[in-house]
Amino acid sequence: MTQMSTGIVPAAGAPSPHTVAALLGARGHRRTVMTGEVLFHEGDMSNSVFGCVSGRVRLIVAGAAGRELVLAVCGPGDIFGDVAALDGRGRSATAVAMEPTEIVELSGADYIDAVRADPELALAALRSLAGRLRRANDRICAGETEPVAKRVARVLLDLAQRCPSPSGDGSVWVVSINQTDLAEMLGATREATARVLADLRRAGVITTARSRTVVHDRDALVAHARRC
Amino acid sequence: MTQMSTGIVPAAGAPSPHTVAALLGARGHRRTVMTGEVLFHEGDMSNSVFGCVSGRVRLIVAGAAGRELVLAVCGPGDIFGDVAALDGRGRSATAVAMEPTEIVELSGADYIDAVRADPELALAALRSLAGRLRRANDRICAGETEPVAKRVARVLLDLAQRCPSPSGDGSVWVVSINQTDLAEMLGATREATARVLADLRRAGVITTARSRTVVHDRDALVAHARRC
DNA sequence: AGCCGTCTGTGATCGTCATCACACACGGAC
DNA sequence: GTCCGTGTGTGATGACGATCACAGACGGCT
């Protein structure tokens, strides 16, 4: 069981933006999408494949009670939409740009051709899928066995790790996210998330502010994620 | 959101046993493992890749409270162990043979070489990973939003579909599995599972016996899986 | 037949988390 | 400045499911 990732930044080992741009960009078509723009909807039978060059795209699914669940957040260098292109079974999630985002788009057929023609692209695609599968499995394990408190600690750690301390002194990490988004990443309600954050705040591990959480004691957070 | 799969039988679109044998077997090494034999443990740094030729292999992870969770069951034609080979981050699950099983084994490096050299193998591997990622995402969605009752109905349907009615008349499906294994596939306890089965039995949808569940009314089960 | 281990079925209790329902704090628009 | 929208913090309640605790049923073994 490895650390769960939120995908804010490409995972270690993921292709670099240059690689994706080079590998997909040669055959694909580059464009910029606006915040909130939907690239495809869950269930659509479209099958084009996207590479994220800059910006961020959120992959969400509609849960049972109308709640929405964030499956992944794709950043620069990430490939998405490839699952539908490979199995032809329709989009497994909805893709929404979270900010102005530069993407490369390629038809499903062209993607298959490109993979066939370029072993390095094939390997990059395999690595990307392997990483996403590992994360998904981690999340299955976490979701089905761990209480919300542990999940919050785990995700905060992950976010903190990806946002290298802009506040200077190196022992403090600032995570810019509101409680609602954090809750969706956990598959929990905002209220449950807020209560866990309150506990952590009282324990002196973090401080919270509007759309921002500051991690003061990383080790304590690790301990919370582990034993609980 | 598509149907959750338990992987008892290769998913539609997965490479056929012949294909795997041909694609991996040419470079790999074939052998037979006994029931209960462990091919690798969660966390191991081994990285060989396996193809299942005949029999079944269970991929399990240890949950938080020592409970174990079945991530997948690989049947003939399925590839497994490729995630660790691709990302080099250790085994994400433990693989245990459920019955005498014939496998093809290939070192991680040989696997990468094979993928590089053979575009068709690369595509087959991509399709396999895409299918597994889709299932994993479905399961995340199901696990984090659906009550146990729905999950039981869903998994029973899936199992029924894969075990074409050996009882002759075509309107009855016999699922050979005990409550403990069923519960592990759901990520629920045996007791919760047994209670849902009791409800379905009382509703006349299924009958239950030792290590066997008979589905009499598939449509009713579909309805249970949907609305609940 | 008799025994024992596995599997099943169910009650009771209790903890976690979702849901509903507010109050307050902050920031931008006017 | 005031208003309003968004984000936060927290109480009360209830439902779902985990856990503990048994009893009974079936099948294999000797």
Side-chain angles (χ1 to χ4, degrees):
Chain A
M1 195 57 14
T2 56
Q3 202 165 36
M4 183 173 138
S5 165
T6 55
I8 292 293
V9 166
S16 76
H18 259 348
T19 307
V20 168
L23 293 178
L24 283 186
R27 290 167 169 254
H29 144 95
R30 196 157 175 157
R31 73 180 208 266
T32 300
V33 295
M34 293 295 99
T35 304
E37 191 169 331
V38 174
L39 295 168
F40 48 80
H41 285 277
E42 185 179 348
D44 276 2
M45 290 307 294
S46 68
N47 69 350
S48 54
V49 178
F50 298 84
C52 177
V53 177
S54 70
R56 290 185 304 173
V57 175
R58 203 193 276 247
L59 297 180
I60 59 181
V61 290
R67 254 173 57 206
E68 71 184 25
L69 210 60
V70 178
L71 279 186
V73 178
C74 298
D78 290 340
I79 300 173
F80 60 96
D82 48 351
V83 170
L86 287 164
D87 68 12
R89 285 172 58 212
R91 298 299 186 183
S92 58
T94 299
V96 187
M98 299 171 69
E99 55 196 71
T101 296
E102 203 178 354
I103 56 164
V104 176
E105 182 173 2
L106 197 63
S107 77
D110 284 351
Y111 175 70
I112 301 287
D113 286 347
V115 163
R116 241 193 270 267
D118 182 351
E120 292 315 310
L121 174 60
L123 262 182
L126 279 168
R127 292 211 169 94
S128 165
L129 278 171
R132 284 183 281 161
L133 180 58
R134 189 185 281 269
R135 284 182 201 182
N137 283 339
D138 284 356
R139 184 157 170 186
I140 287 170
C141 189
E144 288 181 356
T145 61
E146 288 180 357
V148 173
K150 266 180 124 164
R151 283 186 269 163
V152 170
R154 191 186 286 269
V155 170
L156 272 184
L157 273 176
D158 194 54
L159 291 170
Q161 190 179 24
R162 293 160 181 282
C163 307
S165 169
S167 65
D169 83 340
S171 70
V172 170
W173 291 264
V174 178
V175 178
S176 295
I177 188 173
N178 67 26
Q179 294 182 349
T180 306
D181 285 355
L182 189 56
E184 276 176 5
M185 287 187 176
L186 300 168
T189 57
R190 186 197 59 83
E191 294 92 326
T193 306
R195 271 180 254 268
V196 172
L197 290 176
D199 289 342
L200 291 171
R201 196 180 338 113
R202 275 190 285 273
V205 178
I206 63 173
T207 51
T208 58
R210 194 184 183 77
S211 292
R212 176 181 313 159
T213 297
V214 182
V215 178
H216 293 284
D217 187 344
R218 197 172 182 287
D219 295 338
L221 208 51
V222 170
H224 272 269
R226 208 182 311 276
R227 356 174 223 85
C228 198
Chain B
M1 194 58 13
T2 57
Q3 200 166 39
M4 183 173 138
S5 167
T6 54
I8 291 293
V9 165
S16 75
H18 259 347
T19 308
V20 168
L23 293 177
L24 283 185
R27 289 165 170 257
H29 144 95
R30 196 156 175 158
R31 71 180 209 267
T32 300
V33 294
M34 292 295 100
T35 304
E37 191 169 333
V38 174
L39 294 169
F40 49 80
H41 284 277
E42 186 179 347
D44 277 2
M45 290 307 294
S46 67
N47 69 350
S48 52
V49 178
F50 297 85
C52 178
V53 178
S54 69
R56 290 185 303 172
V57 175
R58 203 194 278 248
L59 296 180
I60 59 180
V61 291
R67 254 173 57 204
E68 71 184 24
L69 210 60
V70 178
L71 280 186
V73 178
C74 299
D78 290 342
I79 298 173
F80 60 96
D82 47 353
V83 171
L86 287 164
D87 69 11
R89 287 172 57 209
R91 298 299 186 184
S92 57
T94 299
V96 189
M98 299 171 69
E99 55 197 69
T101 295
E102 203 178 353
I103 56 164
V104 176
E105 181 173 2
L106 197 63
S107 78
D110 286 349
Y111 176 70
I112 301 286
D113 287 346
V115 163
R116 240 192 270 268
D118 182 350
E120 293 314 311
L121 174 59
L123 263 182
L126 279 168
R127 293 211 169 94
S128 165
L129 278 170
R132 283 184 281 161
L133 180 59
R134 189 185 281 269
R135 283 182 200 185
N137 283 339
D138 284 356
R139 184 159 170 182
I140 286 171
C141 188
E144 287 180 357
T145 61
E146 288 181 357
V148 173
K150 265 180 124 164
R151 284 186 269 162
V152 169
R154 192 185 285 271
V155 170
L156 273 183
L157 272 175
D158 195 55
L159 291 170
Q161 189 180 25
R162 292 159 182 283
C163 306
S165 169
S167 66
D169 82 341
S171 69
V172 170
W173 291 263
V174 178
V175 178
S176 295
I177 189 173
N178 67 27
Q179 294 182 349
T180 306
D181 285 355
L182 189 56
E184 276 176 6
M185 287 188 176
L186 300 169
T189 57
R190 186 196 61 82
E191 294 91 326
T193 307
R195 272 180 253 267
V196 173
L197 290 176
D199 288 342
L200 290 172
R201 199 183 332 116
R202 275 190 285 272
V205 178
I206 62 172
T207 51
T208 58
R210 194 184 183 78
S211 291
R212 175 181 314 160
T213 297
V214 182
V215 178
H216 294 284
D217 188 345
R218 196 171 183 286
D219 295 337
L221 208 51
V222 169
H224 272 268
R226 206 181 312 276
R227 354 173 226 87
C228 200

